[in-house]
C-alpha cells in the first residue's frame, strides 16, 4: 500500500469521524429521537436506537483502518529506496504548502551486541526499536529499517516543521530508543545518534535524494561527536564532509610516507617521581593542514580498512624510539601501544609482535599492550581473547584502558592476566575538589589493590589532582599536568630535564632533613 493511498484513507477517516462523532451530531441526537417517535412510533425509534451505535461502530472501524494499513508497511527497505519515499513526501508537502523532513537514526551499540549475544538478540532489538520509533510518530509518518543498525523516518507534510520542532522530535526519539530493552537473556542499554534535515532548509525544487543525503551528512556529524549525539544539517557540514573526503583520500598515502607517527606522553610513578613508561599516541602531521585531530583521521583509517596497518606503523616507530632512548642513556622502562579491535582479531598478531621485538632486540616486558575495557567485556572468548592472553603469556605488560567506562568483570581481569588498570579521566577530573569523586576513586583503587593490580590515572591536569592521587595510593599518573604528548626527539630532552628535577628535589629533601 503506497504512502498516497494511506494518506487518502486517513483523510477519509478524519472526515467521516468528524461528521459522525463531532458536536454537531451530538446536538442533532435529541431531535432525531423525538422525530422518529413522532413519525413512526416505537418501530422507528428502535431503528434509530440501533442505527446510531452502528454508525459509531463504523467510525471506530475507520479509525482502526490506518493502523491496519500501517502494519502492512514494509519494515525493512533498501537504503536506495529511501529517496523515493522522500520524493513522495516532498511532492505532497508542495501540494499542501506544508513542510516535511527526514531523520536518520543509528543504534551505535549494534556491532558489540551482535558479537556478545548473537544475531537473534540483535534482530529482536532491531524489531523492538522500530516498533518504539513508530509508536512515537504520527500515523501518517513513515519509519523503516534501512540497515543492520539504522532506522529512517520520513515525516508526513505538516504546516510547521522548523528547527525547534525537529530538534524536539529528535530528542524524543533518542530518549525513547535509549530506554532499556529487556530480552530473555538480559537487559540491553543502547546509545542512539540522530541526524536530521528539514525540507525548508533546502533550495526550492530539491529532490528526495538531496533531503536524504543532507540527513546522512548530519548523522555522520553526530556519529563523529558521539555517543548519543544529535545534529541538524547545515551548510557548514558540506564543507566539513568535503574535508573529510579529502582526508580519506590522503590517509593511506600518509601511512606510507611517514606523516602518521607516534608521539609519546610520559607516565610517572607517584612514589618516586621517575618515568615509569610512555604511551604512544598516533599523530598525523599533514603537509597542508598541519596536525590533524586523531578523532578525524582514526575514523578515516577505520573506513579505509587501514587500522591494522596503522598498528604496524605505530609499533615499529615505538620500538625504534625505545631503542634510540636506550642508546641515548635515557631510562624509559616501557612503551605502551594501543591495540585496536581490528588488530586483536588478527590471528597473526602475536607472531608479528614477537618478530618485531626480536628484530629490535627488546624483551617483551618493554612493551605495554593497551586494550579497551569494552573490548574485553565484548569478547570473553574467541580470537581476541586468545591474542590478549598469548601476549600476556609472552611477557608483554597488559593495561586495561579506560577502566570504569565498560563492563569488564573481576573474573575477566584475572582471566586475561591484566597487570594494570588505567583509570578513566572521568574519575580523575576535580578529584581534589569533589568529595563524591574522591570516594568513587578510592573505591576503584581499593578494588585494584585487593586484586593485586597496578593503577594509572589518566587525564591528570593539576598539581592538586596529582598530589591527591598519590595520597590515595594510585601507582602512576599521566596527563597534561605531567607533560603533553611529544615527538621521540623531544622526549629525550624532557626526560633528561625531568631526571634533573627529581635529583634536585631528592637533594633538597636530604638537606632539609
Amino acid at each position: 500500500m503506497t504512502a498516497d493511498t494511506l494518506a487518502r484513507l486517513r483523510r477519509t477517516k478524519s472526515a467521516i469521524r468528524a461528521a459522525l462523532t463531532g458536536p454537531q451530531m451530538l446536538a442533532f441526537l435529541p431531535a432525531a429521537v423525538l422525530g422518529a417517535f413522532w413519525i413512526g412510533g416505537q418501530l422507528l425509534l428502535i431503528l434509530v436506537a440501533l442505527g446510531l451505535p452502528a454508525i459509531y461502530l463504523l467510525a471506530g472501524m475507520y479509525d482502526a483502518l490506518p493502523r491496519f494499513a500501517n502494519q502492512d508497511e514494509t519494515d525493512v527497505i533498501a537504503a536506495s529506496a529511501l529517496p523515493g519515499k522522500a520524493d513522495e513526501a516532498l511532492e505532497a508537502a508542495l501540494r499542501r504548502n506544508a513542510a516535511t523532513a527526514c531523520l536518520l537514526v543509528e543504534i551505535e551499540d549494534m556491532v558489540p551486541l551482535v558479537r556478545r549475544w548473537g544475531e537473534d538478540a540483535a534482530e529482536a532489538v532491531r524489531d523492538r526499536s522500530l516498533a518504539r520509533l513508530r509508536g512515537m510518530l504520527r500515523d501518517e509518518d513513515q519509519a523503516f529499517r534501512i540497515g543492520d543498525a539504522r532506522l529512517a523516518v520520513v515525516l508526513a507534510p505538516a504546516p510547521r516543521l522548523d528547527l525547534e520542532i525537529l530538534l524536539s522530535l529528535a530528542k524524543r526519539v533518542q530518549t525513547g530508543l535509549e530506554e532499556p530493552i529487556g530480552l530473555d537473556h538480559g537487559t540491553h542499554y543502547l546509545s542512539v545518534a540522530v541526524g536530521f534535515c528539514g525540507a525548508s532548509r533546502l533550495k526550492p525544487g530539491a529532490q528526495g535524494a538531496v533531503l536524504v543525503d543532507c540527513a546522512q551528512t548530519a548523522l555522520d556529524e553526530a556519529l563523529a561527536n558521539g555517543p548519543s549525539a544529535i545534529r541538524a544539517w547545515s551548510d557548514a557540514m558540506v564543507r566539513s564532509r568535503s574535508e573529510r573526503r579529502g582526508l580519506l583520500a590522503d590517509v593511506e598515502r600518509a601511512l606510507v610516507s611517514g606523516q602518521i607517527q607516534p608521539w609519546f606522553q610520559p607516565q610517572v610513578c607517584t612514589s618516586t617521581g621517575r618515568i615509569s613508561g610512555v604511551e604512544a599516541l598516533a599523530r598525523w602531521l599533514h603537509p597542508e593542514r598541519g596536525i590533524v585531530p586523531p578523532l578525524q583521521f582514526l575514523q578515516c583509517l577505520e573506513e579505509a580498512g587501514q587500522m591494522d596497518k596503522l598498528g604496524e606503523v605505530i609499533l615499529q616507530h615505538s620500538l625504534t624510539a625505545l631503542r634510540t632512548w636506550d642508546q641515548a642513556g635515557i631510562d624509559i622502562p616501557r612503551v605502551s601501544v594501543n591495540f585496536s579491535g581490528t588488530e586483536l582479531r588478527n590471528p597473526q598478531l602475536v607472531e608479528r609482535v614477537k618478530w618485531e621485538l626480536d628484530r629490535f632486540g627488546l624483551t617483551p616486558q618493554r612493551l605495554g599492550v593497551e586494550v579497551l575495557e569494552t573490548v574485553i567485556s565484548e569478547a570473553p572468548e574467541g580470537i581476541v581473547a586468545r591474542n590478549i592472553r598469548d601476549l600476556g603469556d609472552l611477557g608483554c605488560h597488559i593495561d586495561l584502558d579506560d577502566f570504569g567506562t565498560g563492563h569488564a568483570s573481576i573474573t575477566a581481569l584475572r582471566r586475561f592476566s591484566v597487570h594494570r588498570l588505567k583509570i578513566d579521566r572521568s574519575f580523575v577530573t576535580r578529584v581534589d575538589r569533589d568529595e563524591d569523586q574522591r570516594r568513587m576513586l578510592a573505591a576503584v583503587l581499593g578494588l585494584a589493590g585487593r586484586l593485586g593490580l597496578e593503577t594509572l590515572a589518566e587525564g591528570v591536569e593539576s598539581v592538586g589532582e596529582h598530589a591527591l592521587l598519590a595520597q590515595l595510593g594510585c601507582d602512576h599518573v599521566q596527563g597534561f599536568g605531567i607533560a603533553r604528548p611529544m615527538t621521540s626527539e623531544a622526549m629525550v630532552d624532557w626526560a633528561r630535564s625531568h631526571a634533573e628535577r627529581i635529583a634536585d628535589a631528592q637533594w633538597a629533601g636530604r638537606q632539609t632533613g
Side-chain angles (χ1 to χ4, degrees):
M1 189 173 291
T2 67
D4 283 343
T5 303
L6 284 173
R8 284 196 296 271
L9 283 170
R10 288 172 180 128
R11 287 196 296 271
T12 303
K13 177 261 308 193
S14 298
I16 293 174
R17 184 173 177 80
L20 295 178
T21 65
Q24 68 274 17
M25 188 65 184
L26 295 176
F28 179 70
L29 183 58
V33 173
L34 288 173
F37 183 74
W38 182 265
I39 295 170
Q42 293 180 354
L43 181 60
L44 190 54
L45 181 59
I46 291 171
L47 291 175
V48 170
L50 293 174
L52 283 175
I55 292 173
Y56 275 89
L57 182 60
L58 265 173
M61 290 172 63
Y62 269 97
D63 187 50
L65 186 56
R67 302 180 187 276
F68 291 123
N70 225 4
Q71 291 171 6
D72 291 336
E73 290 178 3
T74 303
D75 287 348
V76 184
I77 64 171
S80 58
L82 189 59
K85 304 289 185 182
D87 275 330
E88 294 175 3
L90 286 169
E91 291 169 7
L94 183 63
R95 288 195 302 269
R96 302 182 202 177
N97 193 26
T100 184
C102 178
L103 290 84
L104 294 180
V105 178
E106 182 87 3
I107 302 173
E108 297 175 279
D109 311 273
M110 193 58 71
V111 172
L113 191 151
V114 171
R115 287 180 189 157
R116 186 171 187 183
W117 299 107
E119 186 58 37
D120 289 344
E123 190 66 16
V125 169
R126 295 180 190 116
D127 290 343
R128 190 82 63 86
S129 297
L130 180 59
R132 281 185 178 180
L133 178 60
R134 286 178 171 169
M136 289 181 273
L137 302 173
R138 301 168 297 171
D139 286 344
E140 298 84 358
D141 299 327
Q142 299 181 79
F144 312 96
R145 269 178 51 198
I146 58 171
D148 287 342
R150 186 161 296 179
L151 307 172
V153 175
V154 178
L155 295 179
R160 182 168 168 254
L161 285 175
D162 57 20
L163 180 59
E164 183 180 356
I165 290 174
L166 290 174
L167 189 59
S168 176
L169 173 62
K171 184 62 180 174
R172 187 166 74 248
V173 165
Q174 183 189 64
T175 302
L177 293 180
E178 288 186 344
E179 284 291 318
I181 294 179
L183 299 177
D184 292 341
H185 55 268
T187 302
H188 298 280
Y189 299 88
L190 307 176
S191 58
V192 171
V194 183
F196 65 88
C197 179
S200 59
R201 291 197 150 198
L202 305 179
K203 294 178 181 178
Q207 300 297 306
V210 176
L211 180 62
V212 173
D213 189 59
C214 289
Q216 177 65 61
T217 301
L219 179 61
D220 290 342
E221 191 74 13
L223 290 168
N225 291 274
S228 295
I230 296 174
R231 290 294 183 272
W233 181 84
S234 67
D235 290 329
M237 287 183 182
V238 178
R239 294 189 296 273
S240 174
R241 195 175 193 185
S242 177
E243 290 176 2
R244 191 158 165 272
R245 285 172 177 166
L247 288 177
L248 193 57
D250 291 346
V251 72
E252 294 184 47
R253 186 166 58 250
L255 275 174
V256 176
S257 64
Q259 293 175 19
I260 297 178
Q261 294 192 12
W263 284 22
F264 303 94
Q265 188 170 35
Q267 300 164 342
V268 172
C269 176
T270 55
S271 58
T272 66
R274 293 191 177 92
I275 300 173
S276 54
V278 295
E279 180 182 4
L281 301 164
R283 293 291 184 267
W284 182 2
L285 298 178
H286 196 284
E288 298 172 1
R289 304 171 189 264
I291 297 179
V292 181
L295 189 64
Q296 291 184 18
F297 76 80
L298 289 176
Q299 190 173 12
C300 290
L301 283 168
E302 193 163 0
E303 289 182 20
Q306 293 292 314
M307 290 300 290
D308 207 48
K309 178 63 177 176
L310 173 68
E312 290 183 24
V313 168
I314 297 301
L315 180 61
Q316 289 171 8
H317 281 292
S318 297
L319 297 181
T320 299
L322 195 57
R323 189 172 63 178
T324 301
W325 296 330
D326 287 348
Q327 293 169 350
I330 303 299
D331 183 19
I332 297 178
R334 183 183 301 112
V335 60
S336 296
V337 177
N338 294 277
F339 280 65
S340 68
T342 302
E343 289 178 273
L344 291 168
R345 286 190 290 274
N346 184 349
Q348 306 302 319
L349 175 64
V350 178
E351 289 303 316
R352 190 182 79 193
V353 169
K354 190 185 301 183
W355 184 84
E356 292 287 359
L357 288 168
D358 289 342
R359 184 162 74 95
F360 285 94
L362 298 167
T363 63
Q365 289 74 19
R366 304 290 303 280
L367 176 64
V369 175
E370 297 206 1
V371 182
L372 288 171
E373 183 185 6
T374 49
V375 171
I376 283 184
S377 63
E378 293 163 7
E381 300 299 336
I383 184 62
V384 172
R386 187 162 63 251
N387 275 337
I388 296 172
R389 284 195 294 266
D390 289 349
L391 287 169
D393 293 342
L394 183 64
C396 296
H397 197 274
I398 307 297
D399 283 357
L400 189 60
D401 201 5
D402 290 348
F403 182 75
T405 61
H407 306 284
S409 66
I410 293 175
T411 305
L413 299 181
R414 309 312 303 166
R415 187 170 66 248
F416 288 101
S417 301
V418 172
H419 296 95
R420 183 168 65 177
L421 302 183
K422 291 193 71 176
I423 301 170
D424 186 68
R425 64 188 305 170
S426 62
F427 288 91
V428 175
T429 304
R430 300 184 306 279
V431 70
D432 55 331
R433 290 169 286 169
D434 188 326
E435 182 62 31
D436 291 338
Q437 190 84 324
R438 194 176 309 141
R439 283 195 292 267
M440 180 72 73
L441 182 59
V444 173
L445 293 171
L447 171 66
R450 287 177 175 82
L451 294 174
L453 302 176
E454 291 185 35
T455 51
L456 183 149
E458 297 182 283
V460 177
E461 297 188 354
S462 71
V463 174
E465 290 172 354
H466 187 170
L468 187 62
L469 285 161
Q471 292 170 15
L472 291 173
C474 185
D475 301 306
H476 309 273
V477 290
Q478 173 184 345
F480 287 177
I482 312 300
R484 291 177 176 269
M486 62 191 83
T487 63
S488 60
E489 294 81 6
M491 187 68 209
V492 173
D493 295 333
W494 188 89
R496 284 176 175 157
S497 176
H498 182 75
E500 290 173 2
R501 289 194 299 272
I502 295 299
D504 290 344
Q506 290 174 343
W507 182 85
R510 286 194 297 271
Q511 289 293 100
T512 303

